Protein backbone atom coordinates (compact mmCIF):
# COMPACT_ATOMS: atom_id res chain seq x y z
CA UNK A 1 0.00 0.00 0.00
CA UNK A 2 2.84 2.35 0.77
CA UNK A 3 4.16 1.92 -2.73
CA UNK A 4 0.82 2.97 -4.17
CA UNK A 5 0.92 6.12 -2.10
CA UNK A 6 4.50 6.89 -3.12
CA UNK A 7 3.70 6.44 -6.77
CA UNK A 8 0.81 8.81 -6.59
CA UNK A 9 2.87 11.40 -4.78
CA UNK A 10 5.53 11.23 -7.45
CA UNK A 11 2.89 11.84 -10.08
CA UNK A 12 1.98 15.06 -8.27
CA UNK A 13 -1.67 14.41 -7.77
CA UNK A 14 -3.51 16.91 -5.66
CA UNK A 15 -4.15 16.20 -2.01
CA UNK A 16 -7.84 15.81 -2.79
CA UNK A 17 -7.10 13.15 -5.41
CA UNK A 18 -4.86 11.38 -2.99
CA UNK A 19 -7.36 11.52 -0.18
CA UNK A 20 -10.12 10.06 -2.31
CA UNK A 21 -8.08 7.08 -3.43
CA UNK A 22 -6.19 6.52 -0.18
CA UNK A 23 -9.45 6.42 1.75
CA UNK A 24 -10.70 3.62 -0.44
CA UNK A 25 -7.53 1.58 -0.24
CA UNK A 26 -5.36 2.20 2.82
CA UNK A 27 -8.38 2.47 5.08
CA UNK A 28 -9.40 -1.09 4.44
CA UNK A 29 -5.91 -2.34 5.16
CA UNK A 30 -5.71 -0.29 8.34
CA UNK A 31 -8.94 -1.69 9.71
CA UNK A 32 -7.88 -5.24 9.02
CA UNK A 33 -4.35 -4.84 10.28
CA UNK A 34 -5.27 -3.38 13.63
CA UNK A 35 -8.48 -5.32 14.25
CA UNK A 36 -10.32 -2.13 15.03
CA UNK A 37 -14.04 -2.76 15.36
CA UNK A 38 -15.94 -0.68 12.87
CA UNK A 39 -19.22 0.78 13.96
CA UNK A 40 -20.52 2.28 10.78
CA UNK A 41 -23.21 4.30 12.46
CA UNK A 42 -25.12 3.81 15.66
CA UNK A 43 -28.41 5.59 15.23
CA UNK A 44 -28.95 7.86 12.29
CA UNK A 45 -30.96 6.93 9.25
CA UNK A 46 -29.62 7.28 5.74
CA UNK A 47 -30.98 10.77 5.19
CA UNK A 48 -29.31 12.00 8.39
CA UNK A 49 -25.98 10.59 7.29
CA UNK A 50 -26.36 12.00 3.81
CA UNK A 51 -26.97 15.43 5.29
CA UNK A 52 -23.89 15.12 7.48
CA UNK A 53 -25.99 15.10 10.63
CA UNK A 54 -24.80 14.15 14.12
CA UNK A 55 -23.88 10.59 15.02
CA UNK A 56 -24.24 9.13 18.54
CA UNK A 57 -21.93 6.60 20.14
CA UNK A 58 -22.07 4.85 23.52
CA UNK A 59 -18.46 4.99 24.67
CA UNK A 60 -19.12 2.70 27.65
CA UNK A 61 -19.00 -0.19 25.16
CA UNK A 62 -15.40 0.56 24.18
CA UNK A 63 -12.92 -1.45 26.24
CA UNK A 64 -10.06 0.43 27.79
CA UNK A 65 -7.16 0.43 25.35
CA UNK A 66 -9.43 -0.15 22.36
CA UNK A 67 -10.70 2.10 19.62
CA UNK A 68 -13.77 2.17 17.42
CA UNK A 69 -14.12 3.94 14.11
CA UNK A 70 -17.38 5.56 13.11
CA UNK A 71 -18.29 7.56 10.05
CA UNK A 72 -19.30 11.19 10.14
CA UNK A 73 -19.56 13.37 7.05
CA UNK A 74 -17.99 10.50 5.09
CA UNK A 75 -14.88 10.67 7.25
CA UNK A 76 -13.53 8.11 9.73
CA UNK A 77 -13.71 9.28 13.33
CA UNK A 78 -11.42 7.48 15.79
CA UNK A 79 -12.83 7.13 19.30
CA UNK A 80 -10.15 5.77 21.63
CA UNK A 81 -10.71 4.65 25.23
CA UNK A 82 -7.29 5.51 26.63
CA UNK A 83 -5.68 3.57 29.44
CA UNK A 84 -3.94 5.15 32.42
CA UNK A 85 -0.65 4.19 30.80
CA UNK A 86 -1.60 6.09 27.66
CA UNK A 87 -2.68 9.15 29.65
CA UNK A 88 0.65 9.12 31.46
CA UNK A 89 2.49 8.90 28.14
CA UNK A 90 0.65 11.96 26.83
CA UNK A 91 2.14 13.95 29.69
CA UNK A 92 5.65 12.51 29.45
CA UNK A 93 7.95 15.49 29.04
CA UNK A 94 10.44 13.63 26.84
CA UNK A 95 7.72 12.62 24.38
CA UNK A 96 6.03 16.01 24.48
CA UNK A 97 9.32 17.68 23.56
CA UNK A 98 9.30 15.76 20.27
CA UNK A 99 5.90 17.05 19.14
CA UNK A 100 5.43 19.78 16.54
CA UNK A 101 2.39 21.41 18.17
CA UNK A 102 2.10 20.00 21.70
CA UNK A 103 -0.20 22.75 22.94
CA UNK A 104 -2.57 22.63 19.97
CA UNK A 105 -1.82 26.19 18.93
CA UNK A 106 -2.85 25.52 15.33
CA UNK A 107 -6.58 25.56 14.61
CA UNK A 108 -7.04 21.81 14.38
CA UNK A 109 -9.59 21.36 17.18
CA UNK A 110 -12.45 23.15 18.94
CA UNK A 111 -11.59 25.24 22.01
CA UNK A 112 -12.79 22.52 24.36
CA UNK A 113 -10.10 20.19 22.98
CA UNK A 114 -7.23 22.65 23.33
CA UNK A 115 -5.64 20.84 26.24
CA UNK A 116 -3.01 18.16 26.76
CA UNK A 117 -5.43 15.34 25.94
CA UNK A 118 -7.20 17.20 23.09
CA UNK A 119 -10.62 16.04 24.21
CA UNK A 120 -13.49 16.72 26.59
CA UNK A 121 -12.63 13.82 28.89
CA UNK A 122 -9.01 12.67 29.10
CA UNK A 123 -9.92 8.99 28.87
CA UNK A 124 -11.72 9.34 25.52
CA UNK A 125 -9.93 10.60 22.44
CA UNK A 126 -12.00 11.73 19.45
CA UNK A 127 -10.14 12.65 16.25
CA UNK A 128 -10.70 12.67 12.51
CA UNK A 129 -8.69 9.72 11.20
CA UNK A 130 -7.18 11.43 8.16
CA UNK A 131 -3.47 12.19 7.96
CA UNK A 132 -2.79 15.89 7.54
CA UNK A 133 -0.07 15.18 4.99
CA UNK A 134 -1.91 13.74 1.98
CA UNK A 135 -4.94 12.12 3.50
CA UNK A 136 -4.21 8.47 4.23
CA UNK A 137 -5.92 6.86 7.20
CA UNK A 138 -3.37 6.40 10.01
CA UNK A 139 -3.08 3.03 11.69
CA UNK A 140 -3.75 2.51 15.38
CA UNK A 141 -0.77 1.29 17.42
CA UNK A 142 -1.66 2.27 20.99
CA UNK A 143 1.11 0.40 22.79
CA UNK A 144 4.74 1.54 22.95
CA UNK A 145 7.13 -0.79 21.19
CA UNK A 146 10.86 -0.97 20.59
CA UNK A 147 10.34 -2.19 17.04
CA UNK A 148 6.79 -1.88 15.67
CA UNK A 149 5.60 -0.17 13.55
CA UNK A 150 8.95 1.65 13.69
CA UNK A 151 11.86 1.71 16.13
CA UNK A 152 11.20 3.33 19.50
CA UNK A 153 7.49 3.62 18.86
CA UNK A 154 5.87 5.73 21.61
CA UNK A 155 2.25 4.58 21.03
CA UNK A 156 -0.38 6.40 18.98
CA UNK A 157 -1.08 6.57 15.24
CA UNK A 158 1.26 5.76 12.40
CA UNK A 159 0.65 6.72 8.79
CA UNK A 160 2.33 4.12 6.59
CA UNK A 161 2.13 6.18 3.41
CA UNK A 162 5.12 8.39 4.19
CA UNK A 163 5.87 7.63 7.84
CA UNK A 164 4.08 10.36 9.77
CA UNK A 165 3.71 9.75 13.49
CA UNK A 166 1.06 11.05 15.88
CA UNK A 167 0.73 10.45 19.60
CA UNK A 168 -2.38 9.03 21.25
CA UNK A 169 -4.00 12.48 21.23
CA UNK A 170 -3.38 12.91 17.51
CA UNK A 171 -0.50 15.34 18.05
CA UNK A 172 2.00 15.12 15.21
CA UNK A 173 5.70 14.58 15.81
CA UNK A 174 8.30 16.97 14.46
CA UNK A 175 10.30 15.95 11.41
CA UNK A 176 7.60 13.92 9.65
CA UNK A 177 5.74 14.85 6.45
CA UNK A 178 2.42 15.67 8.16
CA UNK A 179 2.34 19.34 9.12
CA UNK A 180 -0.52 19.45 11.62
CA UNK A 181 -2.17 17.51 14.42
CA UNK A 182 -5.10 15.28 13.50
CA UNK A 183 -8.32 17.32 13.49
CA UNK A 184 -10.82 17.01 16.32
CA UNK A 185 -14.46 17.13 15.18
CA UNK A 186 -17.19 18.99 17.03
CA UNK A 187 -18.71 16.74 19.66
CA UNK A 188 -20.33 16.75 23.06
CA UNK A 189 -21.47 14.37 25.75
CA UNK A 190 -25.24 13.97 25.89
CA UNK A 191 -24.91 11.81 29.02
CA UNK A 192 -22.04 10.35 31.05
CA UNK A 193 -21.39 7.76 28.37
CA UNK A 194 -23.01 8.99 25.14
CA UNK A 195 -21.17 11.25 22.75
CA UNK A 196 -22.72 13.05 19.82
CA UNK A 197 -20.29 13.77 17.00
CA UNK A 198 -21.31 16.72 14.88
CA UNK A 199 -22.58 18.98 17.67
CA UNK A 200 -20.40 21.27 19.75
CA UNK A 201 -19.97 21.15 23.48
CA UNK A 202 -21.97 24.05 25.01
CA UNK A 203 -18.71 25.73 26.04
CA UNK A 204 -18.11 26.64 22.38
CA UNK A 205 -21.45 26.13 20.70
CA UNK A 206 -20.62 28.42 17.77
CA UNK A 207 -17.30 26.82 16.85
CA UNK A 208 -17.13 26.11 13.12
CA UNK A 209 -15.52 22.84 12.02
CA UNK A 210 -14.95 24.31 8.55
CA UNK A 211 -12.44 26.71 10.11
CA UNK A 212 -10.03 23.86 10.71
CA UNK A 213 -6.70 24.47 9.07
CA UNK A 214 -6.08 21.11 7.44
CA UNK A 215 -8.47 18.26 6.93
S1 LIG B 1 -0.42 10.74 3.86
FE1 LIG B 1 1.73 11.03 3.82
S2 LIG B 1 2.36 10.49 5.80
FE2 LIG B 1 0.23 10.30 5.90
Amino acid sequence: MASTASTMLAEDHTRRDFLYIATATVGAVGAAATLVPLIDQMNPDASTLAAGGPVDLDVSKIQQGAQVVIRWRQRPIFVFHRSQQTLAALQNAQDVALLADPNSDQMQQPPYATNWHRSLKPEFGVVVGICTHLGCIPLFYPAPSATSPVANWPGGYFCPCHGSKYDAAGRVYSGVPAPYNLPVPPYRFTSDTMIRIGENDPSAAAWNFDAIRQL
Side-chain angles (χ1 to χ4, degrees), residues 149-167:
V150 293
N152 301 316
W153 176 247
Y157 300 96
F158 177 68
C159 187
C161 295
H162 315 96
S164 290
K165 301 191 300 182
Y166 302 86
D167 76 359

Side-chain angles (χ1 to χ4, degrees), residues 53 186 200 207:
N200 276 308
W207 183 73

Side-chain angles (χ1 to χ4, degrees), residues 68-118:
V68 301
V69 183
I70 64 171
R71 184 161 53 104
W72 174 69
R73 288 195 187 178
Q74 305 304 320
R75 298 185 173 99
I77 307 295
F78 297 166
V79 183
F80 177 18
H81 188 175
R82 300 163 176 148
S83 66
Q84 288 303 313
Q85 180 188 28
T86 295
L87 293 177
L90 291 179
Q91 301 172 83
N92 180 297
Q94 284 184 320
D95 285 343
V96 170
L98 301 176
L99 301 172
D101 182 14
N103 299 316
S104 297
D105 292 327
Q106 299 289 344
M107 173 60 94
Q108 286 292 96
Q109 62 285 308
Y112 44 86
T114 306
N115 46 44
W116 63 267
H117 44 90
R118 299 188 75 229

Side-chain angles (χ1 to χ4, degrees), residues 42 48 50 85 98 101 135 144 172 175 212:
M42 298 296 285
T48 302
Q85 180 188 28
L98 301 176
D101 182 14
V172 70
I212 262 185

Side-chain angles (χ1 to χ4, degrees), residues 18 131-136 159-164 166 177-178:
F18 191 97
C131 181
T132 60
H133 179 218
L134 288 175
C136 286
C159 187
C161 295
H162 315 96
S164 290
Y166 302 86

